[in-house]
C-alpha cells in the first residue's frame, strides 16, 4: 500500500476544520433539567465525593478515572523532528489521544509540560495522578526519559508507560517470536545485534532479555560502534548495563554470523555486505522511520532467505506501535492495574504473535487487497484486524491478575471478551475496508462536474490518497483558476482534465447515443448537443466505452435530473431494476435504507427487488444482511390498505427462495431493537435489521434527512445499485469528503 501523498495545505486544513484540533469532550449524562444539574454538580455531587474520600477505590466506579489516560510530553524528541518544544508537540499528542479512542475506546487527554528539567516534569506528572487511570509518556529524549519513567513508576500507583520505549519493544518482540518460529531458532540461542542505543533500542533489548535472550549473545551498537566492556566514549549507565566482553568494534564486525538485526537508528545504516555476512535465515527488523536502515528489496537481493520487517505501512511486516499501546492500556485499565509490568508486556507480545498465526478473516484480507497467511511476509497482525480489541486486552488483563498488578480482577473472562467486541465501532472498519479495496482497484474515476470546487477537492484527494487516476470533466483554464483560488494550484498537473473538445472519440460516442435515442424523438442535432455540451451525458459515454472505470456525478444538479441524463446512456430506471440504497452510520451502527432514489411508489414485486439489491449492497459492505420491510404497522396491526403491500412483499421473497434473513411488515423499533423483537417470538430475524425497505421514496427521504439533521448521522449514498456500470450519484449538499466517499464506493463497484 503506497503512502498517500498530501500537501502542507491539506495537513493544515485537516487540523483546522471543522473545529481546531482533533477531538472534543461530550457529556455522558443528561444535562437538561434543573434536577440533572443538581445531581451532576452541587448538591448531589457531594455524595460520590464523600464515598471516594472514605474509599479511594470507588473513584473507578463514580468517575471517568478508570477509562482515562494522559498522553504527556515535553516535546524534546517529537517524531523524527527533534526538539520542537512542548507546544510544538501538541498536534502529535492529540493524535495519540484519538488513536487510543479509535483503536481501544480509551478516553485520552493530551498534556504538554513546558520544562526540560526531569525533576520538574516528574513532580508535575506525579501531582496529576488522581485524575487518570494511566500515564502514556511520549516523545521525551533519552536519557531523561529513562530517569522520568523510572521515578514515576516508583512513586505512582497507576501504569506509567513510555510508548517510544516499550511500545516499540512489545511489537518488535511479537514479530521476533514469529520470525524465530519460522526460521526454527530459539531466542536463548540466537545472536542479536541492535543498532541505535536510544530509548527504543534499550527497551527492545531489555524486553528480549526478560524473554530469554542471553546477555552475552546481544551486541548493542551506537554511532561510535559496539558497546563493549571498558568503553568510555559516549557512554551512560543505561548503555553500560548492556556492555559485553567482546573484541568486536564496528557494526560491520558485529553483523558477521548474527541471527537477528534490530535497527532503531538511521536510514542506510546497514549495507548489503553486512546482510550477506549474517547467519542462515537472518531476521532483519529495520525500524528507522521514515526510511529503514536497509530496504526489504536491498536485503532480499543478497539474502532471499531473510525475514524483513520495517516501520513502514507500504512494506509487509510493519512494526507499528498502534498494535500495542491501545490494547495494553485497555487491559490494564480494565483490571484497575497499579502498573504495566514486564509480564503484561510479554503477554501482549505473545498474544500478537499468536494472532498472526491464526487464519485471517476475509474483511482483513479484503482491506489489504491480498490474502494474508502466516509466513515470511506476515509475521505481525495488521493494525486493522478487528480481532485485536478482544484478543489482546484479555491476555494483558490475565497477566496483570496473575502478577498481582490488578486491583480488581475480572471474574468472567468470556463476558469481558464479549464486552470488548461490542466496544468497537464497526463502521470504522467498514469504511477502512472500502478505502483499501478502492486503493487496490486503482480505478480511473470520472468526476463529471469539474466546475465545482468540492468536486475538484475530492478528485485531488482521490488521486493523492493513492486510490487511482482522477479524470475531471471540465475546461482546463477553469479547473486551473478554481484550484489556484483555494491554494491548490500545484494539483493541476496531477489531474487529467477531459472534455468533448479534446477527445477524438466524439463521433464514436455520438453514434452510440444515436442508436439508443433515435426512436425516442432525438435527432442528430439533439444528439450532438447532449454528447458535446452536457457533462453528465459525456461522462456516462466515457464510462460506457471503457474510457474510465467509475463515474461520480450529481453534486451540482438535482438527482432526478441527473438520472434522466444518465438514462440516455445506461438503463438507470425502475423498470430496469435500478435502486438507490442509502447507508446511515450512527453511534457505531450501520443501517441501509432503500429505495431512496428511483422508485416513487413501489408495489410488492418492486419491494422484493429492492430488498434483494439492499442485501447485495450489505454484503458488499461486509455485513450479513437482515432485511425488514418497515411500516407503521407490525404483522397486520393496525390494518391499513397503505400497509398491505409491505405485508405481501416478504411472501414474494419466500417464493423466490432468497438466501438472506427477512421479516415484515414491522415498525422501525421492532426492526432495529432486539428487546422489541422479543415480544414477537415467531419473527425470523436473528438480530436487529440492517436493511430497511420503506414503503415509498418520500418516507425514505424523510427518514434519512431526519436522522442526518436531528441525530447527526453520517450519510453515505444513495448508492446506485442494479446498473451495469459503476455510477454513484451525489446530493447537491455534499461536502468534498462525501463526494470522495462516493468515488470510493464507485471504485469498489458497490451495488
Amino acid at each position: 500500500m503506497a503512502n498517500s501523498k498530501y500537501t502542507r495545505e491539506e495537513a493544515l486544513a485537516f487540523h483546522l476544520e471543522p473545529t481546531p484540533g482533533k477531538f472534543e469532550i461530550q457529556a455522558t449524562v443528561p444535562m437538561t433539567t434543573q434536577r440533572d444539574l443538581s445531581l451532576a454538580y452541587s448538591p448531589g455531587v457531594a455524595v460520590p465525593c464523600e464515598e471516594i474520600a472514605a474509599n479511594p477505590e470507588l473513584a473507578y466506579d463514580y468517575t471517568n478515572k478508570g477509562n482515562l489516560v494522559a498522553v504527556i510530553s515535553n516535546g524534546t524528541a517529537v517524531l523524527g523532528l527533534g526538539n520542537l518544544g512542548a507546544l510544538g508537540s501538541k498536534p502529535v499528542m492529540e493524535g495519540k489521544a484519538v488513536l487510543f479512542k479509535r483503536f481501544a475506546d480509551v478516553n485520552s487527554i493530551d498534556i504538554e509540560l513546558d520544562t526540560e528539567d526531569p525533576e520538574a516534569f516528574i513532580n508535575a506528572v506525579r501531582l496529576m495522578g488522581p485524575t487518570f487511570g494511566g500515564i502514556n509518556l511520549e516523545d521525551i529524549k533519552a536519557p531523561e526519559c529513562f530517569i522520568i519513567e523510572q521515578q514515576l513508576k516508583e512513586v505512582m500507583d497507576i501504569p506509567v508507560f513510555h510508548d517510544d520505549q516499550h511500545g516499540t519493544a512489545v511489537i518488535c518482540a511479537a514479530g521476533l517470536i514469529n520470525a524465530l518460529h519460522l526460521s526454527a531458532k530459539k531466542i536463548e540461542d540466537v545472536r542479536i545485534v541492535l543498532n541505535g542505543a536510544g530509548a527504543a533500542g534499550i527497551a527492545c533489548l531489555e524486553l528480549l532479555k526478560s524473554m530469554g535472550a542471553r546477555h552475552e549473545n546481544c551486541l548493542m551498537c551506537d554511532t561510535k560502534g559496539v558497546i563493549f566492556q571498558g568503553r568510555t566514549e559516549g557512554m551512560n549507565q543505561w548503555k553500560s548495563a548492556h556492555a559485553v566482553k567482546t573484541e568486536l568494534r564496528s557494526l560491520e564486525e558485529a553483523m558477521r554470523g548474527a541471527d537477528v538485526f534490530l535497527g532503531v537508528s538511521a536510514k542506510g545504516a546497514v549495507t548489503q555486505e553486512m546482510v550477506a555476512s549474517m547467519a542462515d535465515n537472518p531476521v532483519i527488523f529495520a525500524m528507522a522511520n521514515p526510511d529503514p536502515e536497509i530496504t526489504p528489496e536491498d536485503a532480499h537481493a543478497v539474502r532471499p532467505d531473510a525475514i524483513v520487517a520495517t516501520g513502514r505501512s507500504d512494506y509487509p511486516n510493519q512494526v507499528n506501535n498502534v498494535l500495542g499501546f491501545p490494547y495494553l492500556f485497555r487491559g490494564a485499565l480494565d483490571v484497575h492495574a497499579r502498573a504495566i509490568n514486564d509480564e503484561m508486556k510479554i503477554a501482549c507480545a505473545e498474544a500478537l504473535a499468536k494472532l498472526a498465526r491464526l487464519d485471517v478473516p476475509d474483511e482483513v484480507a479484503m482491506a489489504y487487497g491480498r490474502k494474508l497467511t502466516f509466513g515470511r511476509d506476515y509475521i505481525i497482525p495488521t493494525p486493522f484486524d478487528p480481532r485485536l480489541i478482544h484478543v489482546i486486552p484479555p491476555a494483558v488483563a490475565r497477566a496483570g491478575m496473575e502478577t498481582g498488578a490488578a486491583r480488581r480482577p475480572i471474574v468472567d473472562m468470556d463476558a469481558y471478551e464479549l464486552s470488548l467486541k461490542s466496544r468497537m465501532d464497526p463502521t470504522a472498519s467498514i469504511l477502512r475496508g472500502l478505502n483499501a479495496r478502492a486503493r487496490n482497484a486503482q480505478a480511473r474515476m470520472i468526476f463529471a462536474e469539474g466546475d465545482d470546487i468540492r468536486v475538484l477537492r475530492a478528485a485531488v484527494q482521490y488521486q493523492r490518497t493513492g486510490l487511482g487516476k482522477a479524470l475531471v470533466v471540465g475546461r482546463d483554464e477553469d479547473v486551473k483558476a478554481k484550484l489556484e483560488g483555494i491554494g491548490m494550484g500545484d494539483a493541476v498537473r496531477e489531474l487529467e482534465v477531459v472534455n468533448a473538445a479534446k477527445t477524438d472519440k466524439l463521433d464514436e460516442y455520438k453514434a452510440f447515443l444515436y442508436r439508443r435515442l433515435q426512436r425516442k424523438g432525438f435527432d442528430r442535432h439533439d444528439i450532438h448537443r447532449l454528447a458535446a455540451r452536457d457533462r453528465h451525458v459525456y461522462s456516462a459515454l466515457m464510462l460506457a466505452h471503457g474510457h474510465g472505470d467509475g463515474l461520480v456525478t450529481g453534486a451540482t444538479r438535482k438527482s432526478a435530473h441527473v438520472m434522466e441524463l444518465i438514462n440516455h446512456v445506461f438503463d438507470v430506471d425502475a423498470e430496469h431494476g435500478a435502486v438507490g440504497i442509502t447507508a446511515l452510520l450512527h453511534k457505531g451502527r450501520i443501517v441501509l435504507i432503500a429505495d431512496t432514489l428511483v422508485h416513487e411508489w413501489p408495489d410488492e414485486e418492486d419491494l422484493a427487488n429492492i430488498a434483494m439489491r439492499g442485501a447485495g449492497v450489505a454484503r458488499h459492505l461486509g455485513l450479513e444482511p437482515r432485511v425488514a420491510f418497515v411500516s407503521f404497522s407490525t404483522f397486520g396491526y393496525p390494518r391499513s390498505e397503505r400497509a398491505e403491500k409491505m405485508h405481501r412483499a416478504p411472501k414474494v421473497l419466500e417464493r423466490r427462495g432468497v438466501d438472506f434473513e427477512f421479516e415484515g411488515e414491522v415498525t422501525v423499533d421492532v426492526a432495529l431493537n432486539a428487546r422489541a423483537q422479543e415480544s414477537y417470538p415467531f419473527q425470523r430475524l436473528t438480530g436487529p435489521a440492517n436493511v430497511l425497505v420503506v414503503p415509498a421514496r418520500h418516507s425514505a427521504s424523510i427518514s434519512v434527512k431526519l436522522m442526518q439533521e436531528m441525530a447527526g448521522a453520517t450519510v453515505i449514498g444513495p448508492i446506485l445499485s442494479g446498473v451495469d456500470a459503476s455510477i454513484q450519484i451525489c446530493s447537491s449538499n455534499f461536502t468534498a469528503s462525501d463526494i470522495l466517499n462516493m468515488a470510493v464506493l464507485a471504485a469498489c463497484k458497490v451495488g
Side-chain angles (χ1 to χ4, degrees):
M1 260 184 298
N3 279 359
S4 34
K5 285 196 298 192
Y6 60 87
T7 59
R8 292 185 72 84
E9 291 80 15
E10 279 176 283
L12 292 172
F14 183 88
H15 285 80
L16 177 65
E17 296 158 359
T19 50
K22 292 193 283 264
F23 65 88
E24 62 181 14
I25 306 286
Q26 281 184 325
T28 55
V29 290
M31 280 291 189
T32 39
T33 66
Q34 183 57 47
R35 185 167 183 276
D36 295 339
L37 297 179
S38 59
L39 282 167
Y41 197 55
S42 184
V45 75
V47 181
C49 290
E50 289 166 345
E51 292 285 324
I52 292 167
N55 179 3
E57 285 292 294
L58 293 174
Y60 286 96
D61 295 321
Y62 299 130
T63 76
N64 64 12
K65 179 180 172 82
N67 193 35
L68 188 62
V69 165
V71 175
I72 306 186
S73 183
N74 61 1
T76 50
V78 180
L79 300 174
L81 307 169
N83 188 345
L84 296 186
L87 196 55
S89 76
K90 187 168 170 66
V92 180
M93 302 313 129
E94 277 188 9
K96 190 81 171 197
V98 292
L99 290 179
F100 265 115
K101 188 68 182 168
R102 159 67 177 86
F103 285 98
D105 196 22
V106 170
N107 294 325
S108 176
I109 274 190
D110 62 297
I111 294 173
E112 291 74 33
L113 298 177
D114 193 6
T115 177
E116 292 194 19
D117 172 9
E119 285 309 310
F121 190 101
I122 289 161
N123 214 26
V125 178
R126 178 178 66 83
L127 295 174
M128 284 189 274
T131 313
F132 300 102
I135 305 286
N136 180 93
L137 300 172
E138 192 79 15
D139 290 0
I140 303 166
K141 70 181 169 71
E144 288 85 340
C145 61
F146 301 120
I147 301 164
I148 288 169
E149 192 200 40
Q150 190 50 47
Q151 290 194 24
L152 284 174
K153 278 180 162 172
E154 287 165 15
V155 296
M156 297 185 81
D157 66 342
I158 54 173
V160 177
F161 184 84
H162 183 208
D163 189 47
D164 304 293
Q165 293 181 60
H166 309 297
T168 308
V170 166
I171 316 307
C172 173
L176 192 58
I177 290 169
N178 279 340
L180 294 180
H181 176 88
L182 286 167
S183 51
K185 295 178 182 180
K186 290 193 168 69
I187 193 163
E188 53 269 24
D189 301 335
V190 291
R191 270 198 50 220
I192 299 172
V193 174
L194 170 92
N195 196 45
I202 288 174
C204 283
L205 220 46
E206 280 176 357
L207 188 63
L208 294 178
K209 285 179 181 177
S210 68
M211 291 170 67
R214 291 211 179 101
H215 174 74
E216 63 273 17
N217 285 349
C218 299
L219 284 180
M220 183 181 277
C221 302
D222 60 12
T223 48
K224 297 181 170 59
V226 174
I227 292 171
F228 56 90
Q229 278 183 12
R231 189 179 117 172
T232 54
E233 197 192 357
M235 293 296 283
N236 59 37
Q237 66 188 79
W238 297 279
K239 290 184 189 178
S240 299
H242 297 282
V244 290
K245 261 200 179 118
T246 177
E247 296 304 311
L248 304 172
R249 291 295 177 262
S250 66
L251 176 62
E252 196 178 358
E253 291 171 13
M255 287 285 269
R256 280 183 211 130
D259 298 284
V260 177
F261 169 78
L262 304 177
V264 267
S265 50
K267 175 182 179 176
V270 171
T271 63
Q272 287 186 312
E273 291 72 35
M274 291 182 195
V275 171
S277 75
M278 291 177 77
D280 285 350
N281 294 310
V283 175
I284 298 164
F285 283 19
M287 300 176 285
N289 256 340
D291 296 300
E293 283 81 359
I294 185 166
T295 64
E297 300 92 329
D298 287 351
H300 283 133
V302 290
R303 290 302 293 272
D305 60 337
I307 296 174
V308 187
T310 70
R312 288 177 58 144
S313 60
D314 49 352
Y315 288 122
N317 300 330
Q318 186 192 9
V319 178
N320 188 337
N321 283 22
V322 89
L323 290 166
F325 70 84
Y327 310 110
L328 265 166
F329 272 98
R330 177 78 276 149
L333 289 169
D334 293 338
V335 292
H336 304 177
R338 292 184 181 85
I340 291 175
N341 57 33
D342 273 358
E343 290 81 0
M344 290 158 86
K345 289 184 264 182
I346 293 169
C348 179
E350 286 174 344
L352 282 167
K354 190 173 161 194
L355 185 58
R357 296 203 287 267
L358 298 177
D359 192 38
V360 181
D362 288 344
E363 70 255 43
V364 180
M366 237 159 52
Y368 281 83
R370 58 193 172 96
K371 188 78 187 116
L372 298 170
T373 47
F374 179 59
R376 291 167 174 272
D377 285 340
Y378 177 65
I379 56 172
I380 308 171
T382 62
F384 294 95
D385 192 318
R387 299 168 299 178
L388 287 160
I389 181 65
H390 60 88
V391 170
I392 311 303
V396 174
R398 272 194 200 95
M401 282 151 51
E402 285 161 10
T403 54
R407 283 195 186 82
R408 188 178 300 178
I410 294 164
V411 183
D412 184 345
M413 262 316 192
D414 293 341
Y416 175 52
E417 281 180 38
L418 269 176
S419 76
L420 289 170
K421 278 182 188 172
S422 65
R423 273 197 108 107
M424 290 322 291
D425 177 349
T427 56
S429 59
I430 286 170
L431 292 176
R432 162 74 200 171
L434 286 170
N435 270 295
R437 277 159 60 192
R439 185 172 283 128
N440 205 42
Q442 288 297 311
R444 294 165 302 158
M445 191 56 55
I446 305 163
F447 292 85
E449 296 147 313
D451 59 341
D452 186 278
I453 206 74
R454 298 163 301 157
V455 174
L456 290 175
R457 274 183 190 272
V460 172
Q461 282 179 331
Y462 181 84
Q463 189 136 321
R464 284 188 175 166
T465 320
L467 295 168
K469 184 93 188 109
L471 310 173
V472 174
V473 180
R475 296 199 322 280
D476 289 87
E477 60 281 8
D478 184 36
V479 169
K480 186 172 190 288
K482 286 217 160 69
L483 284 170
E484 280 168 358
I486 55 164
M488 293 175 75
D490 59 333
V492 176
R493 292 188 303 279
E494 296 167 38
L495 298 175
E496 188 175 329
V497 180
V498 294
N499 57 46
K502 289 167 78 170
T503 182
D504 55 1
K505 303 279 192 286
L506 194 59
D507 289 341
E508 190 185 335
Y509 290 176
K510 290 194 315 199
F512 172 87
L513 198 56
Y514 188 56
R515 284 197 298 279
R516 270 187 70 88
L517 301 182
Q518 59 196 9
R519 292 178 182 275
K520 293 182 180 174
F522 288 80
D523 62 21
R524 287 191 182 277
H525 183 70
D526 300 324
I527 295 296
H528 176 79
R529 203 180 63 247
L530 277 173
R533 302 212 188 120
D534 189 288
R535 71 193 70 150
H536 305 285
V537 176
Y538 181 77
S539 307
L541 286 163
M542 277 182 72
L543 186 64
H545 287 80
H547 301 145
D549 304 310
L551 166 61
V552 178
T553 182
T556 60
R557 305 293 291 271
K558 294 232 175 339
S559 50
H561 180 68
V562 174
M563 296 271 290
E564 211 173 292
L565 291 165
I566 292 176
N567 209 22
H568 292 329
V569 181
F570 294 100
D571 298 323
V572 287
D573 51 17
E575 64 188 280
H576 288 98
V579 172
I581 292 152
T582 297
L584 286 176
L585 281 61
H586 185 55
K587 288 190 173 167
R589 288 180 74 172
I590 182 163
V591 173
L592 308 182
I593 295 185
D595 174 3
T596 51
L597 191 63
V598 185
H599 293 77
E600 204 66 52
W601 179 253
D603 63 19
E604 58 262 41
E605 291 290 334
D606 296 328
L607 288 164
N609 292 339
I610 292 167
M612 291 171 78
R613 294 271 176 233
V617 169
R619 286 196 168 131
H620 250 153
L621 297 178
L623 301 167
E624 194 43 55
R626 289 191 290 273
V627 175
F629 293 91
V630 289
S631 178
F632 61 87
S633 58
T634 298
F635 301 124
Y637 182 82
R639 279 205 78 93
S640 155
E641 61 181 69
R642 303 290 281 176
E644 193 57 38
K645 64 177 187 173
M646 305 310 286
H647 190 71
R648 290 198 297 263
K651 294 185 168 65
V652 179
L653 286 186
E654 279 172 32
R655 279 205 310 277
R656 293 185 187 178
V658 295
D659 63 345
F660 54 84
E661 290 181 23
F662 58 90
E663 191 51 279
E665 93 286 14
V666 291
T667 53
V668 169
D669 56 325
V670 176
L672 295 181
N673 188 326
R675 296 278 296 276
Q677 289 175 350
E678 287 168 11
S679 308
Y680 304 94
F682 55 86
Q683 70 91 32
R684 296 175 281 202
L685 297 180
T686 58
N690 49 24
V691 181
L692 303 183
V693 179
V694 293
R697 205 167 95 208
H698 61 261
S699 40
S701 171
I702 292 165
S703 313
V704 168
K705 288 187 164 56
L706 191 62
M707 280 296 292
Q708 193 170 18
E709 291 305 320
M710 294 292 292
T714 301
V715 172
I716 298 181
I719 299 163
L720 187 59
S721 171
V723 180
D724 282 344
S726 200
I727 303 170
Q728 295 303 344
I729 295 176
C730 303
S731 293
S732 52
N733 61 349
F734 271 16
T735 63
S737 54
D738 295 330
I739 296 165
L740 182 63
N741 278 339
M742 297 309 275
V744 166
L745 290 170
C748 295
K749 300 200 174 350
V750 171

